[in-house]
Amino acid sequence: MKLYTVKRIFPLLLCMLIFNSCDDEKMQWGKIGGEITAEEIPLELTEKIERYDFIKTYAAQYTPQMCIGIGLSANLYNTDEEYKQVCDDNFQLFTMGNAMKHGTVVRDNGELNFTTIDKFFNIIPEDKQIYGHNFIWHTQQNQNYLKKLVVEALGNEGEDPNPPTPSEDNMIVNGNFETGNTNGWSGWGNSSSNKLTQDGSYGNILTLTNPTDGSTSHSAQIAYKISGTFEMGATYTATFEAKAQQNGKIQIALQKDSEKDNYPGEGYKDYDITTQWVSYTYTHTIKTVADMDRFMINFGLTANTYYIDNISLVKNSSSGESPEPDPEPDPDPILPGVGNLLNESFENGNNGWDINPGKASDGYSLESVEQADSPDGNKVLKIYQNGLLQIKTPEIPVGKEVVVSFYIKGEQEANVSIAFLNGVIENQYAQITGTNIIKSKIAVTTAWQQVTFKLQDSKGTMFKDGVKQWTYILDFGRIKGNTYYIDNVQITDPSVTATYTTQLKYTQNATPRAISSSLRNNEKIQTALYGAMENWIKEMIKHCGKRVTAWDVLNEPINDDLGLRGVDNKYASGDSEPTGSTASDLNLNWISSAGNQHFYWGYFLGKEYAVKAFQYARKYANEQQTDAKLYINDYNLESNPNKLKELIEYVKYIDEQNGSPIVDGIGTQMHVNVDLKKSQVDAMFKTMASTGKLIRITELDVAVKTTTPSIEQQQSQADTYLMIVESYKENVPEVQQAGITIWNLTDSKKEHEYWLNGDAPNLFNADYSRKIAYKAFCDGLAGKDISEDWEKPMNK
């Protein structure tokens, strides 16, 4: 039988639009994020679409060999009853978009957090299957945890065998803690704790734990009381080494131990602490407070654990006329010439931050104000919005690599976009990624959060030739009556190592080097990472049990320009080969849209990392007595035949290295648009089917390149959905047809905030009403126009 084609009804639709002009003859198309065009779907077709049964009904009747799924948001499913009901009514299989990924589940200490997964499992109907998404990927992996394993495996390999020792003039007698005690140190605040622990070659280290977020850095403190007092006008230099369980911030200060005087102090300096050991330098000249007698470490701003060692505090000049002291170093490396251009604490006003001309509704305000919970100092930039509002930064000098960070919060939750006014390559809305940023957007909450983003393209710069300065803007949209606060703005250039005041341990002024092959193939690293991989896969399968019927074991292993990601020095945009040769100077150079969540397993483990991943998955699935199918998955396979060919070759390699077939299926994502050609799709499915593996469409959506599609665009989208289903059924034998998963339920903005946020790619409108594509998809499953079988004619 020739399959029904939706294109055949298109001339009829146009005729009906011409002759049926009365309002009661038409139904308005569901609005998607704005005003829809004048064209509307005729009532007869709308009634047909509404009369269709649920998708799962047709799947069970016409394609029982396959499972039709939905890629959904676990958070929406857990909280939105209507969203949950539409998913339950229509689909047989669920794929959680983010909730089962490594970066979501694995904490910085390696523990697994199943809270969202368990809530989801507790409310899904028993007859629903789950597709596990996913085990191993190059992104949304907890880089903090995995990098820590790499650093710990390296230990002191390649380090200076004779590291600097504390000076005899050290005013902190117990600065390396090798006495086995914390004599001279006292800590308090926020139920924090301090104790000595062991850390490999470091020996005893001071471990500070702050259990909950505090309002300021001094919510939790530890102090060392010196013998005597600091001398007015004298300059003191402290050095210390530190790392943290997760990226955090500590503050160093000098203070007077006098409750009577309300503990006065000066020299307050903030330091960003990372998850690797770094040596820091602190210099301060006593200016205003007399008789200070203790060295302070404030660590109460965020819940975290900090590790401190080798603390030294010396007086630079003991008597007579002191030489001119060096300028006090900034806690973060600043671009040469920038200094405090961006006025990180806003203590002296707005200092160059202003409205983007013509991009503000009346009633806005920008002002520097006192703020009790300020992350840095007492003042912040307060921004009031009364409609459209964009603010721009002062001009910033360019750098080879530029890292921008700031703190932000709002009185109401909102989304803020980052864009560029000039100087930046690409367009002004260039895609940037970093901590708490996804595709140039920040989800602002009512609590302070630090935002960090990096500008760097594959050629080493994001700036146009000859440009010396650039600016960026914060676009607050058109919300009425919201207030935002910004503080502690930093601009750094990591490539300018000579300007750093904080250098990696024992490598002051060193030039980073590419990791040698001996480190890249280091047995200790491989043992540590394979152990983490096995534990991750084992615990996930053990916890999820038989509810998961298939696992996406390896996701997107092939680079767009071919080659295995990580293995062949191929990386996603913005990433590059790691630098450093030792534990202390290891820099992964891997960024991501969710912060430090890029991690290329294959870089350290080689191409056989995939073999191990499948072997672990099969082993623990068997232990749980589940016949879960194991998949490899990638995108652009319909448009890049060479990529598909390389993926299939990799599947052959995995099977051969295992000694027998272990990859059950191949998934094609199919994030496509209405320009897709049938010949491309047919060729892809034929090639995939030739492997004999199960074939699944894992993430299907069809973009129309607008949020307000015309009736022609809606029809083209329906044609494309139908064509894909037809091609899948025609070219993949039934025994290999594992199923089709639609990616996202509706065209709602809440589902497309970060993915296809300028489009309407799904089967349902934002209000859960069905689109023409819904009918086309069902007709594709049935292999015919289902409505032609209805005995009773429609109205009219």
Side-chain angles (χ1 to χ4, degrees), residues 170 218 367 405 484:
N170 191 357
H218 58 261
E367 56 180 331
S405 68
Y484 305 86

Side-chain angles (χ1 to χ4, degrees), residues 53 63 92 110 140 256 290 305 389 397 466 499 522 579 630 716 730 760-761:
D53 209 331
T63 56
Q92 302 164 309
Q140 288 190 254
K256 181 177 180 180
T305 297
L389 181 64
T499 66
N522 187 287
T579 58
L630 308 182
S716 293
E730 288 173 0

Side-chain angles (χ1 to χ4, degrees), residues 252-270:
I252 303 298
L254 305 180
Q255 196 178 78
K256 181 177 180 180
D257 184 12
S258 174
E259 183 177 6
K260 177 182 177 181
D261 298 326
N262 197 26
Y263 305 105
E266 61 179 80
Y268 292 88
K269 294 287 184 181
D270 289 333

Side-chain angles (χ1 to χ4, degrees), residues 619-639:
K619 173 183 177 181
Y620 293 109
N622 288 345
E623 286 187 4
Q624 294 299 311
Q625 298 181 336
T626 172
D627 186 31
K629 303 302 180 184
L630 308 182
Y631 283 82
I632 192 169
N633 181 58
D634 220 316
Y635 65 93
N636 282 354
L637 303 181
E638 70 285 336
S639 59

Side-chain angles (χ1 to χ4, degrees), residues 13-14 112 136 304 345 438 552 595 668 677 704 714-715 739 787:
L13 299 184
L14 293 180
L112 274 62
I136 304 298
N304 206 346
S345 61
I438 299 182
D552 184 353
T668 174
K677 294 179 172 58
V704 290
Q714 297 163 28
Q715 189 65 65
S787 66

